[in-house]
Short mmCIF file of all heavy atoms in Angstrom, two decimals:
data_model
loop_
_atom_site.label_atom_id
_atom_site.label_comp_id
_atom_site.label_asym_id
_atom_site.label_seq_id
_atom_site.Cartn_x
_atom_site.Cartn_y
_atom_site.Cartn_z
N PHE A 307 121.60 120.58 -255.34
CA PHE A 307 122.04 121.92 -255.08
C PHE A 307 123.06 122.41 -256.14
O PHE A 307 123.80 123.43 -256.02
CB PHE A 307 122.76 122.01 -253.72
CG PHE A 307 121.81 121.57 -252.61
CD1 PHE A 307 121.82 120.24 -252.18
CD2 PHE A 307 120.96 122.46 -252.11
CE1 PHE A 307 120.90 119.86 -251.17
CE2 PHE A 307 120.10 122.02 -251.09
CZ PHE A 307 120.02 120.79 -250.66
N ASP A 308 123.15 121.57 -257.27
CA ASP A 308 124.05 122.02 -258.32
C ASP A 308 123.46 123.09 -259.17
O ASP A 308 122.29 123.22 -259.36
CB ASP A 308 124.17 120.77 -259.29
CG ASP A 308 125.50 119.99 -259.08
OD1 ASP A 308 126.27 120.49 -258.25
OD2 ASP A 308 125.64 118.96 -259.81
N ASP A 309 124.38 124.05 -259.62
CA ASP A 309 123.91 125.09 -260.57
C ASP A 309 124.37 124.74 -261.93
O ASP A 309 125.47 124.25 -262.15
CB ASP A 309 124.58 126.46 -260.14
CG ASP A 309 124.20 126.99 -258.77
OD1 ASP A 309 123.08 126.42 -258.26
OD2 ASP A 309 124.93 127.75 -258.12
N ASP A 310 123.59 125.02 -262.92
CA ASP A 310 124.02 124.94 -264.30
C ASP A 310 123.50 126.08 -265.13
O ASP A 310 122.75 126.88 -264.52
CB ASP A 310 123.66 123.44 -264.80
CG ASP A 310 122.18 123.35 -265.08
OD1 ASP A 310 121.40 124.30 -264.84
OD2 ASP A 310 121.78 122.26 -265.54
N PRO A 311 123.66 126.09 -266.38
CA PRO A 311 123.12 127.24 -267.26
C PRO A 311 121.63 127.42 -267.10
O PRO A 311 121.12 128.61 -267.22
CB PRO A 311 123.55 126.86 -268.69
CG PRO A 311 124.75 126.02 -268.45
CD PRO A 311 124.54 125.20 -267.23
N VAL A 312 120.85 126.35 -266.98
CA VAL A 312 119.42 126.51 -266.79
C VAL A 312 119.16 127.31 -265.53
O VAL A 312 118.31 128.30 -265.55
CB VAL A 312 118.71 125.19 -266.78
CG1 VAL A 312 117.20 125.36 -266.41
CG2 VAL A 312 118.83 124.46 -268.10
N ASP A 313 119.79 126.93 -264.48
CA ASP A 313 119.48 127.59 -263.25
C ASP A 313 119.98 129.07 -263.25
O ASP A 313 119.37 129.93 -262.72
CB ASP A 313 120.31 126.90 -262.05
CG ASP A 313 119.89 125.47 -261.85
OD1 ASP A 313 118.67 125.33 -261.69
OD2 ASP A 313 120.69 124.52 -261.97
N ALA A 314 121.11 129.30 -263.94
CA ALA A 314 121.63 130.66 -264.08
C ALA A 314 120.62 131.51 -264.81
O ALA A 314 120.32 132.72 -264.44
CB ALA A 314 122.95 130.71 -264.80
N ALA A 315 119.99 130.93 -265.88
CA ALA A 315 118.99 131.68 -266.65
C ALA A 315 117.76 132.03 -265.73
O ALA A 315 117.13 133.08 -265.84
CB ALA A 315 118.62 130.95 -267.86
N MET A 316 117.35 131.05 -264.98
CA MET A 316 116.17 131.16 -264.05
C MET A 316 116.45 132.22 -263.05
O MET A 316 115.64 133.06 -262.72
CB MET A 316 115.83 129.83 -263.38
CG MET A 316 115.25 128.83 -264.31
SD MET A 316 113.68 129.38 -265.24
CE MET A 316 114.30 129.98 -266.58
N ALA A 317 117.65 132.20 -262.52
CA ALA A 317 118.03 133.18 -261.39
C ALA A 317 118.10 134.58 -262.06
O ALA A 317 117.48 135.58 -261.42
CB ALA A 317 119.33 132.77 -260.82
N GLU A 318 118.64 134.61 -263.17
CA GLU A 318 118.78 135.95 -263.89
C GLU A 318 117.40 136.58 -264.06
O GLU A 318 117.22 137.83 -263.91
CB GLU A 318 119.51 135.67 -265.19
CG GLU A 318 119.58 136.81 -266.23
CD GLU A 318 120.65 137.79 -265.83
OE1 GLU A 318 121.66 137.39 -265.28
OE2 GLU A 318 120.44 139.05 -266.14
N ALA A 319 116.44 135.72 -264.49
CA ALA A 319 115.10 136.24 -264.79
C ALA A 319 114.21 136.39 -263.53
O ALA A 319 113.13 136.86 -263.59
CB ALA A 319 114.43 135.26 -265.73
N GLY A 320 114.84 135.96 -262.33
CA GLY A 320 114.08 136.09 -261.08
C GLY A 320 113.00 135.05 -261.00
O GLY A 320 112.08 135.20 -260.12
N ILE A 321 113.02 133.93 -261.86
CA ILE A 321 112.04 132.94 -261.77
C ILE A 321 112.31 131.93 -260.64
O ILE A 321 111.37 131.48 -259.96
CB ILE A 321 111.88 132.27 -263.11
CG1 ILE A 321 111.37 133.25 -264.22
CG2 ILE A 321 110.98 131.04 -263.05
CD1 ILE A 321 111.28 132.74 -265.58
N ALA A 322 113.58 131.60 -260.50
CA ALA A 322 113.90 130.65 -259.44
C ALA A 322 115.23 130.96 -258.81
O ALA A 322 116.08 131.60 -259.42
CB ALA A 322 113.95 129.16 -260.14
N PRO A 323 115.44 130.46 -257.64
CA PRO A 323 116.65 130.73 -256.88
C PRO A 323 117.85 129.84 -257.52
O PRO A 323 117.55 128.73 -258.05
CB PRO A 323 116.37 130.42 -255.51
CG PRO A 323 115.38 129.26 -255.57
CD PRO A 323 114.52 129.62 -256.78
N LEU A 324 119.09 130.28 -257.25
CA LEU A 324 120.13 129.41 -257.60
C LEU A 324 120.14 128.21 -256.60
O LEU A 324 120.07 128.46 -255.34
CB LEU A 324 121.57 130.13 -257.53
CG LEU A 324 122.02 130.91 -258.69
CD1 LEU A 324 123.38 131.46 -258.36
CD2 LEU A 324 122.11 129.92 -259.96
N PRO A 325 120.18 127.02 -257.04
CA PRO A 325 120.10 125.85 -256.08
C PRO A 325 121.23 125.92 -255.06
O PRO A 325 121.02 125.52 -253.87
CB PRO A 325 120.26 124.60 -256.97
CG PRO A 325 119.79 125.08 -258.34
CD PRO A 325 120.20 126.53 -258.52
N SER A 326 122.43 126.35 -255.43
CA SER A 326 123.51 126.31 -254.43
C SER A 326 123.21 127.21 -253.30
O SER A 326 123.71 127.00 -252.17
CB SER A 326 124.80 126.79 -255.15
OG SER A 326 124.65 128.10 -255.66
N GLY A 327 122.42 128.26 -253.49
CA GLY A 327 122.16 129.22 -252.44
C GLY A 327 121.21 128.58 -251.29
O GLY A 327 121.09 129.18 -250.29
#
Side-chain angles (χ1 to χ4, degrees):
Chain A
F307 304 94
D308 260 356
D309 298 337
D310 72 358
V312 171
D313 299 306
M316 289 298 94
E318 172 78 29
I321 294 175
L324 274 181
S326 59

